[in-house]
Amino acid sequence: MLRKSLFLFLFQLLLLLLFGYADPARNCTRDSPVVDSESAFEMVQHQVRGSLKIRDDCSFRVSQFDMLSGSDVHWWGAQGSDFDNLTKGFIVSEAGLSGTYKNTTFNVPLMRNVTWGMINVLAIWDRANASDFGHVVLRKEASAKPPPTVFDNCKVLSKKFRLRWSLNASEDSLEIGLEAAIGITDFMAFGWADPNAEDSDLMIGGDVAVAGFKEDGLPIVDDFFITKYSECVRNGDGVVQGVCPDSAYEGPSGVGLANHSMLVYGHRKDGVSFVRYRWHLSKVDANYDRPVNHSANMKVIWALGPIKPPDSISPYYLPQNHGPDNYGHLVLNVSEHVNDCTGPLDAEDKEDQDIIIADANVPLVVTSAPAMHYPNPPNPDKVLYINKKEAPVLRVERGVPVKFSIQAGHDVALYITSDPLGGNATTRNLTETIYAGGPDAHGVQASPTELVWVPNRNTPDHIYYHSLYDQKMGWRVEVVDGGLSDMYNNSVNLDDQQVTFFWTLSKDSISMAARGEKKSGYIAVGFGSGMVNSFVYVGWMDDTGIGHVNSYWIDGKDASSIHRTHENLTHVRCKKENGIITWEFTRPLDPSCKREKRVECKNIIDPTTPLKVVWAMGAKWSSDRLTDRNMHSSTSKRPIRVQLMRGSAEAEQDLLPVLAVHGFMMFVAWGILFPGGILAARYLKHLKGDGWFRIHVYLQYSGLIIVLLALLFAVAELRGFYVRSTHVKFGLATLLFACIQPVNAFLRPQKPANGEQAPSNRVIWEYFHAFVGRCAIVVGIAALFTGMKHLGDRYDVENVRGLNWAMAIWFLVGALIVIYLEYYERQRIKKQISTKGNWVFGNLEEDDSVDLLSSTRTTADKESLPSGRMEVQLEPLNR
């Protein structure tokens, strides 16, 4: 019993595999008028062939089905085979079409909510590209002929050449189809040999049809007779010899008149040439044609090769030498049924469309015209032409500007998009990336619009040019690497010139690349003075040929010290050509994450600060556990300091002398001169004369001049003025305060006369002048310390910490001196106030030692000062 059940299960499984997707649980009726109808698929793309039979109201059967693989292919229902109807169609079966089909037979169920009444055209549809691979019209006239690609027989002549035919003995003719995976400028030849010729010399006396395509893509076929192994020529006696059309033997007046072959149809699809023609069996010319006995075994010959178009010497398309491998012969009986063609011809080069290579100096003229050979049917009636070529493949290079001269009409707005259909994807509730163009990119021949687009390293390899208003008017854009130097704004050679480093800065990110100059298994580039204690990026190819770029933090010299990080790297690419590794990526300048939790968050790139870059190479890398085998075999000897903003680099060296002078001058200004000037104004007023004022002015102006000179030195050395670092921001603030003081001094209110009370504007001025000066000193000291930190980060100066301590001690000593002077000054003022009672008549000179801003002044002090009005009591002297 168990064996019987197992056998029944296996038998049911075999039936399911053989007969496809039919759902046995469904109760399928046979009421539709299209049930039992049979049709052959009309080939549109992807070498689709086969026949379809409607089995019942919920399924159909596909027989001897051929198709090259697509991306997202489905059975598709529509009301018509035109562009509008097909693009509005719908999926009719859950059974998709994946992969390549080779003479396959299977059943397909309809979806439960789909009926044959909803379908007039059943198509094989690629949703990703809105492409019709082939279709069947279900309700058509009874007299409709089968598609021209359908024949009764098929014979393989070579790996890339097939012969198809159907015999019409009653009409004394053969329908012949020649099919070959060849170039568009090649010919296909097939015919009957001289029955009396030896096998080694079958071509001579052969009667063949030569088929191919003209320059405009239209098919041609002509009847040739072979008299010699050479191109058709006319000798000095006027005798024609070689592989010549029958009409050539008739003389100049016979051009096109003696053609035994009759062209029926031809196409170029997927890199495969197909030409169908009619060949008479017995009603032939007695001089240059061979009669064909349809029931006999006869020798046939064939060849493939290049064809030469007509010129001023010859008005014919003439086949050239076919070469040593592209010809042959066999015995054929056309009345016998033969079908040894399994599967579609798969050409290596499937792209027949013209290719336009953009040049930075030549504009591409964009026009519109009726569609003739659009590469991705179905298509609208009008499509885009570039340089008079219909919907060509546009090949551009990253980093090289592409200039368009748009003359397609005001109803056609050109744009470059990620959407394969165009026509504004948002109207189909889809998203797209627009790289260039838009509503304003339209024009006419009299007034063209110019559009310039520069594809960059982040532009995908395949995008599209289309009209913004109508779908499928354009075609594909191939974006290729034109060389890293074209894709990046800057490049430098790292130490030993073994690695070239490329980069382009944007507002918040940096795109960078590295290319080795010798063969290696991986390239590592680190940011730091060495590989240890640095952030490193490693690019390599794995065993399957896939490229990788990973980021790491290295804190030691062994494999266990290499820690994988997870930086936000985008547009990552890595490739290997002739053993040379090249990798690329884009990353933010500031990772913007919590630095205490992730070490990679500390990997901040400041474009205003030189980036120290080192490199290493080795034989093998892995994303898994690393060992000492992955250690580098060669590395840089010293870091290269890359100036990201300037686009230059210099070897690691000591502190640049000009920047050392800049720092020393700033210290002299903010550590000596400016504080000295303030101390003079604060603590030397009690001295007679204006010496304190002169000292104050001389020191302040000297300090300001030194600050401006130091600033010019730094800007000249760094070749720019950048405000990203903290040090520069503090420096700008000190410069602002320092420049305000001379302006403030120029606007100083007039000094009050002796004995007069200071006016309010003078008091306000003194408060503002003192406040700005003291703020300038505080900010200036902060700028000195941040400058020392910047110095350490930039040049790794070993004694930066010692210099910081020395400067801190200097200002600490200065602060102690200020405290002492302030104490002494207050004591002096108190003593002076206490001696005001010993006033001598006539002493009306103002005491400059009194500070209007002094907090020790009281009302009593003010009253004790001389005034403009006073009472004097005279008493007699007692002797």
Side-chain angles (χ1 to χ4, degrees):
M1 183 68 181
L2 179 61
R3 292 178 62 184
K4 184 177 180 181
S5 300
L6 180 61
F7 176 79
L8 182 60
F9 170 76
L10 292 175
F11 179 73
Q12 291 176 342
L13 180 61
L14 180 62
L15 288 177
L16 180 63
L17 292 175
L18 288 176
F19 298 102
Y21 309 105
D23 185 356
R26 295 182 64 178
N27 183 19
C28 295
T29 60
R30 296 173 55 85
D31 299 333
S32 174
V34 297
V35 171
D36 291 330
S37 63
E38 296 186 42
S39 302
F41 284 101
E42 180 177 341
M43 179 192 298
V44 181
Q45 295 183 79
H46 284 244
Q47 299 300 300
V48 167
R49 277 191 174 88
S51 62
L52 174 141
K53 180 177 181 180
I54 309 299
R55 300 176 64 229
D56 48 42
D57 290 339
C58 54
S59 68
F60 58 94
R61 184 177 184 81
V62 179
S63 303
Q64 296 181 320
F65 184 66
D66 289 351
M67 187 189 78
L68 295 175
S69 63
S71 57
D72 186 19
V73 188
H74 297 270
W75 294 105
W76 191 260
Q79 287 300 310
S81 59
D82 59 289
F83 174 76
D84 291 334
N85 277 304
L86 281 175
T87 52
K88 296 175 183 177
F90 52 93
I91 295 176
V92 301
S93 175
E94 295 178 354
L97 292 164
S98 60
T100 297
Y101 289 80
K102 298 181 179 181
N103 205 24
T104 309
T105 299
F106 53 91
N107 295 332
V108 182
L110 296 179
M111 290 182 174
R112 291 183 178 272
N113 59 341
V114 175
T115 65
W116 292 117
M118 303 164 58
I119 306 170
N120 192 44
V121 173
L122 182 65
I124 302 162
W125 186 262
D126 188 328
R127 286 200 307 173
N129 299 300
S131 297
D132 179 16
F133 287 3
H135 59 261
V136 168
V137 178
L138 301 183
R139 297 168 181 85
K140 56 187 177 182
E141 297 179 2
S143 60
K145 295 182 179 180
T149 56
V150 176
F151 293 86
D152 297 333
N153 306 278
C154 184
K155 179 70 177 178
V156 175
L157 301 180
S158 73
K159 184 179 180 180
K160 57 182 180 181
F161 190 16
R162 294 177 178 179
L163 169 69
R164 299 179 184 271
W165 78 92
S166 295
L167 175 62
N168 297 319
S170 60
E171 299 180 5
D172 192 48
S173 67
L174 272 177
E175 294 285 327
I176 298 176
L178 302 182
E179 181 181 49
I182 55 176
I184 193 171
T185 59
D186 290 342
F187 72 86
M188 303 173 289
F190 173 80
W192 278 261
D194 183 353
N196 300 318
E198 299 293 333
D199 289 350
S200 61
D201 207 21
L202 284 176
M203 289 291 180
I204 301 298
D207 179 20
V208 298
V210 175
F213 289 85
K214 299 179 181 180
E215 295 86 342
D216 57 5
L218 295 177
I220 56 170
V221 63
D222 204 350
D223 186 7
F224 278 67
F225 189 78
I226 304 173
T227 58
K228 187 179 180 180
Y229 291 118
S230 70
E231 181 183 328
C232 184
V233 294
R234 187 182 299 272
N235 61 24
D237 298 332
V239 178
V240 176
Q241 290 182 322
V243 183
C244 301
D246 289 4
S247 55
Y249 297 105
E250 300 291 340
S253 60
V255 175
L257 298 180
N259 188 359
H260 179 207
S261 57
M262 300 175 58
L263 177 67
V264 176
Y265 173 81
H267 69 226
R268 280 280 301 181
K269 299 180 186 295
D270 314 302
V272 176
S273 293
F274 175 82
V275 174
R276 179 171 182 150
Y277 61 95
R278 184 173 295 111
W279 189 267
H280 290 293
L281 298 176
S282 58
K283 298 177 182 180
V284 296
D285 181 79
N287 296 322
Y288 307 109
D289 294 330
R290 299 288 178 191
V292 177
N293 185 347
H294 64 83
S295 61
N297 293 332
M298 302 187 67
K299 293 181 180 179
V300 294
I301 53 178
W302 62 268
L304 302 172
I307 193 169
K308 186 178 76 171
D311 53 28
S312 59
I313 298 176
S314 173
Y316 307 104
Y317 284 87
L318 298 178
Q320 305 298 291
N321 194 317
H322 49 64
D325 302 321
N326 293 325
Y327 73 100
H329 68 275
L330 69 153
V331 175
L332 182 68
N333 188 330
V334 295
S335 62
E336 294 180 355
H337 178 68
V338 178
N339 187 9
D340 57 8
C341 303
T342 56
L345 277 177
D346 192 356
E348 294 182 2
D349 184 7
K350 297 180 175 60
E351 186 60 70
D352 278 339
Q353 209 67 10
D354 291 318
I355 297 178
I356 298 291
I357 300 177
D359 190 314
N361 301 317
V362 181
L364 302 173
V365 179
V366 181
T367 57
S368 60
M372 300 296 292
H373 305 286
Y374 188 76
N376 183 30
N379 53 274
D381 295 334
K382 186 171 69 172
V383 298
L384 294 177
Y385 284 65
I386 297 181
N387 291 355
K388 299 183 179 181
K389 296 184 182 297
E390 180 185 359
V393 174
L394 179 59
R395 184 172 295 165
V396 301
E397 294 183 358
R398 292 183 174 90
V400 178
V402 182
K403 184 184 296 184
F404 297 93
S405 177
I406 305 172
Q407 309 173 16
H410 294 303
D411 59 338
V412 178
L414 180 71
Y415 79 130
I416 312 298
T417 173
S418 60
D419 185 63
L421 306 185
N424 192 353
T426 56
T427 60
R428 306 191 305 275
N429 297 320
L430 299 175
T431 59
E432 64 181 332
T433 301
I434 297 177
Y435 300 93
D440 298 328
H442 60 84
V444 294
Q445 186 175 4
S447 179
T449 296
E450 184 176 285
L451 173 66
V452 178
W453 167 51
V454 183
N456 56 38
R457 66 166 302 275
N458 299 331
T459 307
D461 293 339
H462 295 286
I463 52 180
Y464 302 87
Y465 65 91
H466 281 296
S467 168
L468 186 65
Y469 305 129
D470 297 290
Q471 295 180 24
K472 299 185 73 172
M473 286 190 66
W475 189 224
R476 194 170 68 245
V477 180
E478 292 182 354
V479 185
V480 300
D481 292 342
L484 293 176
S485 58
D486 293 325
M487 294 188 289
Y488 293 88
N489 295 340
N490 310 280
S491 65
V492 296
N493 289 322
L494 300 183
D495 186 43
D496 290 339
Q497 298 185 347
Q498 297 299 311
V499 175
T500 305
F501 183 66
F502 304 84
W503 75 95
T504 295
L505 281 171
S506 57
K507 181 179 179 181
D508 300 314
S509 64
I510 180 172
S511 298
M512 57 182 68
R515 182 185 64 209
E517 303 302 329
K518 65 179 183 180
K519 295 181 179 180
S520 63
Y522 69 83
I523 290 180
V525 171
F527 298 156
S529 298
M531 283 294 175
V532 178
N533 294 324
S534 65
F535 293 97
V536 178
Y537 302 95
V538 182
W540 81 99
M541 305 293 292
D542 62 21
D543 295 335
T544 62
I546 298 176
H548 303 269
V549 180
N550 285 352
S551 58
Y552 300 89
W553 164 252
I554 301 179
D555 57 8
K557 295 186 176 182
D558 56 7
S560 62
S561 302
I562 303 175
H563 310 287
R564 173 76 185 276
T565 60
H566 299 280
E567 294 191 27
N568 182 22
L569 305 183
T570 58
H571 302 99
V572 178
R573 287 188 290 179
C574 182
K575 64 181 180 180
K576 188 173 187 178
E577 295 179 350
N578 300 322
I580 301 297
I581 295 285
T582 301
W583 55 250
E584 306 172 68
F585 64 82
T586 299
R587 54 149 289 179
L589 294 173
D590 188 341
S592 300
C593 53
K594 296 182 179 180
R595 300 174 188 175
E596 63 274 7
K597 292 185 177 181
R598 296 168 55 189
V599 66
E600 62 265 28
C601 300
K602 300 178 182 179
N603 188 14
I604 300 173
I605 295 179
D606 181 2
T608 64
T609 302
L611 183 67
K612 287 173 285 189
V613 184
V614 294
W615 62 267
M617 294 184 185
K620 188 176 181 60
W621 197 263
S622 173
S623 57
D624 300 328
R625 183 175 178 271
L626 298 170
T627 66
D628 290 340
R629 289 185 176 182
N630 303 115
M631 300 304 288
H632 56 258
S633 56
S634 59
T635 185
S636 54
K637 298 180 178 62
R638 58 179 179 173
I640 293 295
R641 188 179 300 110
V642 178
Q643 303 279 358
L644 297 175
M645 300 290 289
R646 289 165 48 181
S648 62
E650 57 194 16
E652 180 76 351
Q653 57 183 354
D654 295 332
L655 177 63
L656 294 177
V658 175
L659 295 183
V661 171
H662 165 83
F664 177 74
M665 293 174 71
M666 287 298 186
F667 173 76
V668 170
W670 295 103
I672 299 176
L673 297 180
F674 284 135
I678 292 177
L679 293 178
R682 176 67 178 164
Y683 302 114
L684 297 182
K685 284 185 178 181
H686 65 280
L687 301 178
K688 297 301 180 182
D690 60 353
W692 69 269
F693 182 75
R694 293 176 180 274
I695 295 173
H696 174 74
V697 172
Y698 291 157
L699 291 180
Q700 300 303 91
Y701 278 108
S702 298
L704 181 59
I705 292 172
I706 290 176
V707 165
L708 294 176
L709 287 175
L711 175 66
L712 291 177
F713 287 164
V715 171
E717 178 62 28
L718 298 177
R719 299 183 185 180
F721 194 80
Y722 313 110
V723 198
R724 286 180 178 266
S725 69
T726 305
H727 170 65
V728 176
K729 293 175 182 177
F730 274 113
L732 284 178
T734 59
L735 185 64
L736 177 64
F737 285 132
C739 292
I740 286 176
Q741 290 298 70
V743 177
N744 190 27
F746 178 77
L747 301 175
R748 179 179 63 227
Q750 187 176 1
K751 178 181 177 181
N754 290 342
E756 292 184 357
Q757 186 175 1
S760 59
N761 61 344
R762 174 75 181 196
V763 174
I764 293 173
W765 175 85
E766 289 201 13
Y767 269 110
F768 180 75
H769 187 66
F771 175 77
V772 172
R774 291 165 184 171
C775 288
I777 289 297
V778 173
V779 178
I781 293 173
L784 289 176
F785 280 100
T786 56
M788 294 299 291
K789 182 179 182 303
H790 196 59
L791 177 69
D793 295 340
R794 179 171 185 168
Y795 293 101
D796 280 345
V797 178
E798 296 179 356
N799 59 344
V800 165
R801 189 171 183 179
L803 291 174
N804 272 325
W805 276 108
M807 196 161 57
I809 293 173
W810 171 268
F811 286 113
L812 180 62
V813 171
L816 293 175
I817 293 174
V818 169
I819 292 173
Y820 169 76
L821 290 176
E822 187 68 20
Y823 173 77
Y824 175 80
E825 179 69 9
R826 291 175 182 269
Q827 293 299 319
R828 187 190 65 78
I829 292 175
K830 286 182 180 180
K831 182 178 179 181
Q832 184 177 0
I833 293 174
S834 65
T835 58
K836 286 297 180 178
N838 297 327
W839 176 76
V840 180
F841 180 77
N843 184 10
L844 299 176
E845 183 179 355
E846 181 184 15
D847 187 356
D848 284 338
S849 66
V850 178
D851 190 352
L852 290 174
L853 303 180
S854 173
S855 61
T856 60
R857 290 183 61 187
T858 64
T859 305
D861 298 334
K862 294 179 182 180
E863 292 176 355
S864 67
L865 293 175
S867 63
R869 178 182 179 182
M870 63 190 73
E871 295 181 0
V872 180
Q873 183 176 0
L874 301 178
E875 296 182 0
L877 297 173
N878 296 324
R879 294 182 181 271

